[in-house]
Amino acid sequence: MHILFLSAWCPYPADNGSRLRVYHLLRGLGRRHKVDLLSFCPEGDDGSRAAHLGEFCRRVTLLPESPFPQWRVGMLAGLLTAQPRSMVANYSRTLARLVERQSASVPYDVVVASQLHMLPYAARIRTLPVIFEELEVALLAEPARQGPRASRLRYQLTWWKTRRYVGAALRRSAGFSVASPEERNLLAPFSPPGLPVAVVPNGVDTAGCAAARQEPEPDTLVYPGPISYDANFDAVAHFLNAILPLIRRERPSARLRVTGRATREQIRALPPSEGVEFTGYLDDVRPTVAGAWAEVVPLRKGGGTRLKVLEALALGTPVISTPKGVEGLELRPGHDLLVADTPEEFARQTLRLLVSPDLRAELAARGREAAQRYDWEHSVRALEGLLERVVGGA
């Protein structure tokens, strides 16, 4: 197949969940198909990113723009239209023209538009089947149902606009994929009956993680994720406020490392706590995760499935998570990882692990085995099956 792939995220370097997914799907598809990539690259490219992506993409075009500029005029227009504000405020006319020109001049078999932000550009394509990849709406649906009362009306309006917009886009599409059955169920009420859909789970590079394993450091916990992302900030704040004090009361040597970009203002906004280190941005987070005794995932909100959980398991680093942190993952609590629903239970499970090398070794072995089921190759095959079904029926 000849595939045009549209992505808001430049997939290299693959240093967050969205980039990781796009990167590994592109790499997998590129082994067996011709793939052209159109994406943003707000940091600019000296040629190294395009060169790397060119190892598995036939043609790479990176726009030196931000996919999330939030123009003031666009934000105002978004408030006054029936479209979701982000679709209007972040719209790039340059990318729209490129999509129109390239889709009309190259004999593609199918177009893959990755995530919600690519929907407006896919709408410019009239003569090719379009697949929407990783439609994720839980992040918008959740606050509309359970958000703070003061802002719930605004969230409900955003959710209403998103439902209408995505529903109309799906009626023009040839199919779509989601990262979990939960996301598929959220989209079902406004998805056309019989539209092809595939669950393409988030995955992990098991071979790369096997090469990155190392001896763990006792009493060291890690949370991988920039606190600039609201769900990560909430998780870290919750852990520092309600869980870490309980752990350090019994285990004063316990400490937490938080990876990812964090400004001084963001760190100061967190509850003050001893035994916490902010590493800043890391080119490769795997050595830090592999060197920790355990990974904590005290997430309370957000959508999708957690690549940080799968990566830790593949590295042999046991995971303690809230139920929210493992949504969409077929993992067995108490066998593949530890799951706790309250701060007290989270602290208790963490202490169990910190004091027991035997328990750590057992969970590490079972976690590595569970991660094998989520190797990226399985995800690539699932997406490939959807594309072949659509192209064959076109």
Side-chain angles (χ1 to χ4, degrees):
M1 287 181 286
H2 196 173
I3 303 165
L4 175 60
F5 200 107
L6 311 178
S7 174
W9 296 91
C10 177
Y12 184 76
D15 55 7
N16 68 23
S18 294
R19 287 189 172 103
L20 275 166
R21 181 180 176 95
V22 175
Y23 179 87
H24 286 286
L25 291 179
L26 282 172
R27 191 171 71 168
L29 290 172
R31 291 193 191 107
R32 294 181 286 273
H33 308 282
K34 293 188 292 183
V35 183
D36 293 353
L37 171 66
L38 275 177
S39 183
F40 294 104
C41 186
E43 305 88 350
D45 181 32
D46 59 3
S48 59
R49 297 187 188 208
H52 180 89
L53 295 167
E55 294 175 11
F56 42 85
C57 291
R58 189 190 70 108
R59 179 177 176 180
V60 178
T61 304
L62 302 177
L63 292 186
E65 296 182 12
S66 170
F68 315 111
Q70 292 289 337
W71 304 119
R72 226 176 247 182
V73 173
M75 291 177 71
L76 180 61
L79 288 171
L80 301 175
T81 70
Q83 295 184 36
R85 186 175 65 174
S86 61
M87 301 296 176
V88 179
N90 302 321
Y91 190 71
S92 167
R93 291 184 176 84
T94 306
L95 181 61
R97 287 193 293 268
L98 272 172
V99 168
E100 283 187 329
R101 186 164 62 245
Q102 198 159 317
S103 63
S105 61
V106 179
Y108 293 112
D109 296 302
V110 65
V111 178
V112 177
S114 174
Q115 298 189 346
L116 287 173
H117 284 283
M118 291 295 101
L119 265 62
Y121 308 105
R124 315 286 295 221
I125 300 169
R126 303 295 184 185
T127 58
L128 296 169
V130 175
I131 291 292
F132 295 128
E133 207 291 297
E134 198 195 6
L135 283 187
E136 184 180 336
V137 296
L139 202 60
L140 300 170
E142 191 175 89
R145 295 194 303 259
Q146 305 170 3
R149 185 170 297 177
S151 54
R152 197 176 300 169
L153 182 61
R154 177 167 57 86
Y155 288 129
Q156 288 172 347
L157 177 60
T158 299
W159 177 230
W160 176 80
K161 287 184 174 185
T162 301
R163 283 175 58 110
R164 292 182 73 254
Y165 190 83
V166 173
L170 287 175
R171 288 192 292 274
R172 298 191 302 268
S173 77
F176 67 100
S177 69
V178 291
S180 69
E182 288 78 9
E183 290 285 353
R184 179 186 58 197
N185 295 340
L186 272 173
L187 287 160
F190 47 99
S191 171
L195 186 68
V197 56
V199 175
V200 179
N202 280 325
V204 64
D205 178 7
T206 55
C209 287
R213 291 174 195 155
Q214 57 183 273
E215 283 299 309
E217 186 179 348
D219 288 331
T220 301
L221 306 171
V222 66
Y223 182 84
I227 60 173
S228 55
Y229 175 48
D230 180 57
N232 286 336
F233 183 91
D234 177 80
V236 174
H238 175 58
F239 190 80
L240 298 187
N241 185 56
I243 301 172
L244 187 58
L246 300 178
I247 296 170
R248 284 179 60 85
R249 187 184 304 163
E250 302 292 328
R251 195 85 171 175
S253 55
R255 54 200 178 276
L256 173 70
R257 288 190 181 124
V258 181
T259 72
R261 292 185 176 92
T263 66
R264 290 180 182 178
E265 291 75 18
Q266 289 165 344
I267 293 172
R268 280 199 290 263
L270 291 167
S273 183
E274 295 183 2
V276 183
E277 174 192 352
F278 293 90
T279 68
Y281 176 79
L282 301 173
D283 289 331
D284 187 353
V285 76
R286 290 177 298 183
T288 301
V289 175
W293 194 261
E295 177 177 289
V296 292
V297 187
L299 282 161
R300 299 190 296 177
K301 58 184 180 179
T305 54
R306 316 300 173 185
L307 285 92
K308 59 171 64 73
V309 171
L310 296 175
E311 192 164 70
L313 296 180
L315 288 164
T317 301
V319 173
I320 310 107
S321 175
T322 55
K324 184 67 177 177
V326 291
E327 272 186 357
L329 296 174
E330 294 182 4
L331 299 171
R332 292 171 287 179
H335 187 275
D336 303 323
L337 78 172
L338 302 177
V339 176
D341 204 7
T342 66
E344 294 76 16
E345 178 64 10
F346 205 111
R348 190 182 73 81
Q349 295 282 27
T350 305
L351 285 165
R352 277 184 65 210
L353 191 53
L354 289 176
V355 302
S356 177
D358 290 340
L359 176 60
R360 188 191 189 280
E362 290 172 12
L363 286 171
R366 294 176 196 151
R368 286 193 294 266
E369 183 179 343
Q372 293 293 330
R373 303 196 300 269
Y374 284 92
D375 187 88
W376 278 115
E377 181 60 22
H378 301 311
S379 304
V380 172
R381 291 290 188 183
L383 178 57
E384 199 173 38
L386 175 63
L387 296 176
E388 289 173 349
R389 179 182 172 190
V390 165
V391 171

